[in-house]
Amino acid sequence: MLFILAAAALFSLAGAQVKALRGEIPLIQVMFCRNLFAIPALLPLLWAAGGLRALRMQLPWLHAMRITAGLIGMAGPFYGYVVLPFALVTALGFTMPLFLTLLSVPLLGERVGPRRGLAVLAGFGGVLLVALPGSGGGVELTGIAAVLVGAVAWAVAMISIRRMGEAGEANATIVLWFALGSALVCGVLSLPVWVAPRPEQWVLLAGTGLVSALAQVIMTEAYRRGEATLLAPFEYSAILWTTLMGVLVWGELPDGWDVAGIAVLVGSGLYIWHREVALGLKR
């Protein structure tokens, strides 16, 4: 539980560093640096998995799907950090389980009962609450849309990871190829728009990658040691960290609509998690 809480705090810190860049560095360049600086922190994972043998992939097309979806899923919130309140981006990111529930029907052949279906509808009702005109001090609808598209992409990435795991692909292979593939793609795309960062911006860019990688390693270790059904709800602690940082650093005080929408989003996500646990135990 402590590892999950720490990982949620570190992921929030990484997002704060992206927000601190204030959109002065092109989005694709930020994503490149995030993935590039994450690679050194993942080298122990490569070593523990047997060295270069860990890079032998069995399902290249699923890796391509995971990298593509992962990059879109990263771009959405990175853009949102620039134009939206910090805590709101995190809350909208919690729509990922809602989209995952919906996409699991056509892509994984799963059944969604009426209870989970109602929870999904309630979650999207929470999105409408935070997207109401004038909420959050003039929240930009384009930013909300970008974060939601990112959440859909992350759901697709999670499905690809699940399918690779079921086919026997090693976790280290999945993680390492995402970091390497994402850095390569973003590096090429960032060349035409490259902006020379100032020293303090280099610190933020490097910190984003290193902190994200550390958070990923800690969260992986948490799920390796503990029961996923017990640990998953603690990921929602990120909303506490981002709300606190938003208030203290950027003076972003959530209004009543934001609080109500975030509460509905988190509640629906937790209920979907509860139903999946219950159904898994029943099976």
Side-chain angles (χ1 to χ4, degrees):
M1 293 178 190
L2 291 176
F3 277 176
I4 290 292
L5 292 173
L10 288 172
F11 277 127
S12 301
L13 177 59
Q17 292 178 98
V18 174
K19 187 174 181 66
L21 290 166
R22 299 179 297 179
E24 296 177 354
I25 302 295
L27 177 62
I28 194 67
Q29 184 178 341
V30 176
M31 294 169 60
F32 166 67
C33 292
R34 184 267 183 217
N35 290 295
L36 178 66
F37 287 108
I39 292 175
L42 295 176
L43 291 179
L45 180 62
L46 176 65
W47 177 266
L52 295 179
R53 289 179 298 175
L55 297 178
R56 295 176 183 173
M57 63 175 74
Q58 304 177 37
L59 304 162
W61 69 275
L62 276 177
H63 281 280
M65 176 181 172
R66 189 268 185 272
I67 291 171
T68 302
L71 287 176
I72 297 173
M74 188 182 300
F78 276 22
Y79 175 75
Y81 290 139
V82 178
V83 299
L84 297 175
F86 194 25
L88 180 56
V89 177
T90 302
L92 291 173
F94 288 145
T95 58
M96 191 278 283
L98 309 183
F99 290 116
L100 182 59
T101 300
L102 293 177
L103 292 174
S104 65
V105 176
L107 297 182
L108 295 176
E110 296 184 357
R111 296 180 59 186
V112 176
R115 295 183 183 180
R116 282 193 293 170
L118 288 174
V120 170
L121 290 177
F124 289 125
V127 173
L128 292 178
L129 286 177
V130 299
L132 285 174
S135 68
V139 169
E140 292 191 14
L141 294 180
T142 53
I144 292 177
V147 178
L148 292 178
V149 169
V152 175
W154 271 120
V156 174
M158 293 301 103
I159 289 175
S160 66
I161 291 172
R162 184 182 300 179
R163 293 179 65 180
M164 283 190 283
E166 291 173 351
E169 194 74 286
N171 290 339
T173 306
I174 298 172
V175 172
L176 291 166
W177 270 113
F178 175 69
L180 294 170
S182 299
L184 178 61
V185 172
C186 293
V188 172
L189 295 178
S190 66
L191 289 176
V193 296
W194 186 270
V195 172
R198 299 189 300 271
E200 65 273 17
Q201 291 175 327
W202 273 120
V203 173
L204 292 171
L205 290 168
T208 300
L210 292 171
V211 171
S212 297
L214 179 60
Q216 188 175 18
V217 170
I218 291 176
M219 184 165 286
T220 301
E221 183 65 15
Y223 280 108
R224 189 183 70 83
R225 291 170 175 251
E227 291 290 339
T229 54
L230 176 64
L231 298 178
F234 289 90
E235 291 188 32
Y236 285 87
S237 64
I239 194 66
L240 302 177
W241 296 115
T242 52
T243 299
L244 181 62
M245 284 188 278
V247 171
L248 296 179
V249 180
W250 291 283
E252 298 172 344
L253 291 172
D255 63 15
W257 289 113
D258 291 335
V259 172
I262 289 171
V264 172
L265 273 171
V266 173
S268 61
L270 287 174
Y271 183 77
I272 289 174
W273 162 81
H274 166 73
R275 287 299 302 164
E276 289 178 348
V277 173
L279 291 172
L281 291 175
K282 184 178 180 180
R283 285 194 294 265

